[in-house]
Amino acid sequence: MASRLLLLLAALFAAVGCSQAEKVVVDWDIGYVWGARDGYNYRRAIGVNGALPIPPVYVTQGDTLILNVHNSLDVATSVHGHGIFYNGTSYLDGAGMVTQCGIPPGESYTYVIEAHQVGTFWIHGHNHHQNSDGLRTPFIIRERYQSPKYDEEVLFGLEDWYKEESSIKMEQITAPTNATTPPPPTFPYGLINGYNGNDTKPVNFVPGRRYRFRVVSMATTEWFKFSIPGHKLEVIEADGIDCAPYVVDGLDIAPGQRFSAVVTALDQTEFNYIYNVTLYADFVPRLRGMNPRYYQGLIQYREGAPVKRLAVSSDAQLKWANDLDMVALDGMGTLPVDREFRLASQTMRTTDSRNLRMLHKYPYATPQVPTLFTAFTMGKLAMDPRVYGPQTAALVVPHLDAVQVRVGNPTDLVHSFHLHGNTFQVVEHGPVDPKTIVFSPGSNQTLANVPFIPVRRAGPVPMRRDTLVVPPFSYVDFRFRGDNPGAWMFHCHMDTHFAAGLAVTFVVAPDALQATQRLPKELQQMCLRQGIKASGNVVGNQGYNFAGLPPAPVAVQTNGTQPALPPASGPHPAHGPAPSNTVASAQRAAPTSRPQSPN
């Protein structure tokens, strides 16, 4: 009787939740705007409905977001829900020439997001690097019922803002002269909630109340640090995944990453405090007032109260959030491994005097047919990576396989990698093989002073992220299950690196994709109206007919690891010393049990 009553109550609560769900309609007219967002440099940018910043988008768990997009630019556009799984609707991911052709100028398209997830996300342009020009805003999916963990929310949308338009920067990065004369470093300004970081309003605190700070890095290239001296940050979420409460002094946030941290207000009104936001990059010269740039705002307990002066601590004295210290709140244990891919960040100098970047065999380049369309229309051949073309760098994942990916970084540059459509467990990091290391031109580093990090593994319940940092001279292992059929980009979220080719595509379960989803004709027609084929292999032909495929770039010199070899099969090594990151390989083990992934 008691169990029957519990079932009835559960059904009742579910029905109430469904009845409260809403359709949230947001209309975006994407177009050019002019302004000086940083307070100094007047330039053209990309906004929505004639304005910047773009207002954050808020929905509640169970709602449906209807995002109507009209393109008033003179080039194609598309938008991506960063961190959204799109289970069953992979064609809505918004990655240009991966899951769709761009929306042509003058046309419109509607993105539908079923808010099954909860957490802190963002929406940004994913065509022509338009996010770098302002096409980006936080996207918050709140719990259906108020959480007792906190009393109020505070949103910090962080952006780096350059004086040049992204097209100028990307052209400089990939220009032939870059191989011999790299463009000089540029130093962006930091924006908080759309404006110069020093122009923010006070954050009002009431003693004893708990405040959830949602901190979203929508940066193009650089990193942010966030802290409130005199207060601890209790991290409760990262990249849309709840974690066990984890107390730190500050957040070190890479492009694309998000954190939620609860701050308990002090039991006093005698003093006000400050918060610190630092914009920095370790890969460009440090110059006073330019790198890093420091921004401060007021934590106000009482209007007019003096600011509490605290001893200044160095970053090394503070505890910063670390993926390997975090524990996913749902208790999901470490996945077994069926298949392994090894990738390595490499720089290729080409015969046409360009410096390009790659993770696999070749620098990434957009295909002539969206990769997802190839997966939908090539039948059984969709399981063969060759049909996607060499520069799509496609890695095919069989349905429900648990995959481990090792990303090696034998260079002195840091990277921030994002995986579309999935979260992954961060399970290990360690040093690369010293024999693979290469230094950037002009670097004064030697092997003798390389800061190798020790091998370190996560606990039995790893944290899951969708964006992770791979430090210089290091590797990171992550795992995910291939239970979300689709074509999902894995790319550096530093736009200059992405533009130069630092990306691959995970094509997950194309056979299951064909059996369970249907490619909307509207998306196919959108391609055809632009003269883009909407079916077939990488060039729109059938089978292995690649007539019309542009030749892949040819290297005259490869800095870093050697070009990757084709995938090789073999047993998966459970653990052991860090192997050389000189090849990209796929290894398959005996079938294992397949617990359901939360994706």
Side-chain angles (χ1 to χ4, degrees), residues 182-200:
T186 52
F187 301 93
Y189 289 86
L191 308 181
I192 300 177
N193 294 332
Y195 300 98
N196 185 290
N198 286 323
D199 295 337
T200 57

Side-chain angles (χ1 to χ4, degrees), residues 100-152:
Q100 69 166 96
C101 300
I103 305 168
E107 294 195 17
S108 301
Y109 186 68
T110 296
Y111 296 88
V112 179
I113 297 177
E114 301 289 348
H116 300 304
Q117 299 163 252
V118 172
T120 308
F121 309 94
W122 57 302
I123 299 174
H124 64 82
H126 215 293
N127 213 305
H128 300 293
H129 304 282
Q130 291 163 353
N131 63 306
S132 300
D133 289 324
L135 185 51
R136 53 194 181 192
T137 193
F139 175 38
I140 309 302
I141 306 178
R142 289 172 166 155
E143 296 172 319
R144 172 60 59 184
Y145 301 101
Q146 177 72 29
S147 170
K149 299 175 186 176
Y150 57 93
D151 301 299
E152 296 183 38

Side-chain angles (χ1 to χ4, degrees), residues 17 37 64 67 102 142 158 180 185 217 263 343 406-407 431 433 462 467-468 477 538 572 599:
R37 301 188 72 200
T64 299
L67 180 58
R142 289 172 166 155
L158 306 178
T180 53
S217 176
V263 179
L343 308 173
R406 170 162 291 190
V407 184
D433 185 335
T467 308
L468 87 161
D477 290 346
V538 61
H572 169 72
N599 289 3

Side-chain angles (χ1 to χ4, degrees), residues 416-454:
S416 174
F417 288 102
H418 170 54
L419 176 60
H420 289 218
N422 299 267
T423 56
F424 47 75
Q425 297 177 328
V426 184
V427 297
E428 181 177 309
H429 69 206
V432 296
D433 185 335
K435 296 190 296 293
T436 67
I437 286 178
V438 66
F439 301 106
S440 298
S443 172
N444 57 6
Q445 284 188 296
T446 66
L447 281 177
N449 61 18
V450 165
F452 287 111
I453 64 173

Side-chain angles (χ1 to χ4, degrees), residues 186-513:
T186 52
F187 301 93
Y189 289 86
L191 308 181
I192 300 177
N193 294 332
Y195 300 98
N196 185 290
N198 286 323
D199 295 337
T200 57
K201 296 179 180 179
V203 177
N204 294 312
F205 269 22
V206 175
R209 289 180 71 82
R210 288 168 60 80
Y211 296 84
R212 177 177 184 164
F213 281 76
R214 296 185 187 263
V215 187
V216 184
S217 176
M218 303 183 292
T220 295
T221 304
E222 300 206 353
W223 264 242
F224 282 96
K225 288 183 177 179
F226 174 81
S227 64
I228 308 177
H231 301 70
K232 294 290 186 180
L233 307 181
E234 183 184 298
V235 179
I236 61 170
E237 176 230 347
D239 293 359
I241 300 296
D242 288 341
C243 63
Y246 170 47
V247 178
V248 298
D249 296 308
L251 307 174
D252 192 1
I253 316 171
Q257 291 188 321
R258 296 89 64 208
F259 284 95
S260 284
V262 174
V263 179
T264 301
L266 305 177
D267 190 18
Q268 63 87 49
T269 58
E270 182 180 1
F271 295 103
N272 293 328
Y273 288 75
I274 56 102
Y275 63 78
N276 292 322
V277 173
T278 302
L279 173 66
Y280 76 99
D282 287 336
F283 43 86
V284 295
R286 292 180 66 90
L287 291 176
R288 182 181 295 273
M290 301 180 74
N291 180 36
R293 293 192 196 269
Y294 299 101
Y295 300 93
Q296 293 186 332
L298 189 66
I299 300 294
Q300 183 171 266
Y301 282 88
R302 178 171 57 86
E303 188 174 356
V307 172
K308 180 74 171 180
R309 300 299 175 185
L310 301 170
V312 177
S313 300
S314 68
D315 285 356
Q317 295 174 301
L318 301 178
K319 180 180 178 181
W320 300 91
N322 184 295
D323 290 344
L324 294 180
D325 293 331
M326 300 169 70
V327 175
L329 191 61
D330 60 11
M332 179 181 172
T334 306
L335 289 170
V337 177
D338 299 320
R339 182 174 298 268
E340 182 180 47
F341 295 101
R342 294 193 179 183
L343 308 173
S345 171
Q346 305 169 67
T347 299
M348 172 194 282
R349 182 176 177 184
T350 66
T351 52
D352 58 354
S353 299
R354 293 179 294 162
N355 270 348
L356 301 179
R357 301 184 186 276
M358 57 187 180
L359 276 174
H360 195 35
K361 301 177 186 180
Y362 296 101
Y364 178 84
T366 54
Q368 297 180 39
V369 172
T371 302
L372 183 68
F373 292 20
T374 296
F376 265 115
T377 62
M378 286 297 289
K380 292 182 179 180
L381 289 184
M383 297 295 293
D384 187 340
R386 291 176 293 177
V387 302
Y388 302 99
Q391 285 198 260
T392 306
L395 303 169
V396 176
V397 177
H399 194 213
L400 298 181
D401 265 15
V403 176
Q404 174 163 295
V405 181
R406 170 162 291 190
V407 184
N409 181 17
T411 74
D412 51 8
L413 296 173
V414 65
H415 299 293
S416 174
F417 288 102
H418 170 54
L419 176 60
H420 289 218
N422 299 267
T423 56
F424 47 75
Q425 297 177 328
V426 184
V427 297
E428 181 177 309
H429 69 206
V432 296
D433 185 335
K435 296 190 296 293
T436 67
I437 286 178
V438 66
F439 301 106
S440 298
S443 172
N444 57 6
Q445 284 188 296
T446 66
L447 281 177
N449 61 18
V450 165
F452 287 111
I453 64 173
V455 174
R456 188 172 172 219
R457 299 186 178 103
V461 180
M463 187 57 190
R464 297 195 303 280
R465 306 294 301 262
D466 60 48
T467 308
L468 87 161
V469 174
V470 184
F473 315 119
S474 305
Y475 72 84
V476 175
D477 290 346
F478 67 84
R479 298 180 185 180
F480 72 99
R481 186 171 295 285
D483 59 0
N484 190 10
W488 308 112
M489 289 209 80
F490 178 71
H491 65 92
C492 187
H493 227 281
M494 302 164 70
D495 269 23
T496 51
H497 293 177
F498 181 22
L502 203 57
V504 297
T505 310
F506 286 100
V507 181
V508 177
D511 49 353
L513 174 78

